[in-house]
Amino acid sequence: MESQVPNPAANNSRDAEWMQLALQLAHRGQGWVEPNPMVGCVLVSAAGSEIGRGYHARFGQAHAERAAIAD
C-alpha cells in the first residue's frame, strides 16, 4: 500500500504568501503585546487552504496560535 504523505514542496509557491499574511497579522499587536513579541499565525490544511488565522492582540491574552485555532 502506497503512503498518502503530502508533498511539502508542492505548496512552496504559497509559503511566502502565508508568511506575509502571518507577518501582517502580527503587526496588529504592535504596541499592545510588549514585553512579548508580535506574533501572527495562519493555519493551512494539507490541501493548501486556510483554516484559521490569529494574532497576539494584547499582553496577557491568548497567543496567536490559540487565536488561530479558535478561529
Side-chain angles (χ1 to χ4, degrees), residues 28-52:
R28 293 182 182 180
Q30 188 171 14
W32 298 100
V33 298
E34 288 78 13
N36 291 334
M38 296 182 296
V39 179
C41 178
V42 181
L43 300 177
V44 181
S45 73
S49 60
E50 180 181 330
I51 56 175

Side-chain angles (χ1 to χ4, degrees), residues 11 15-16 30 41-42 44-45 48 55-58 63 66 70:
N11 290 328
D15 287 350
Q30 188 171 14
C41 178
V42 181
V44 181
S45 73
Y55 66 99
H56 187 193
R58 291 195 185 269
H63 287 225
R66 291 191 67 167

Side-chain angles (χ1 to χ4, degrees), residues 15-30 37-42 53-56 64:
D15 287 350
E17 294 174 35
W18 295 125
M19 182 56 74
Q20 185 61 41
L21 176 56
L23 291 170
Q24 290 171 359
L25 290 166
H27 278 280
R28 293 182 182 180
Q30 188 171 14
M38 296 182 296
V39 179
C41 178
V42 181
R53 64 170 69 180
Y55 66 99
H56 187 193

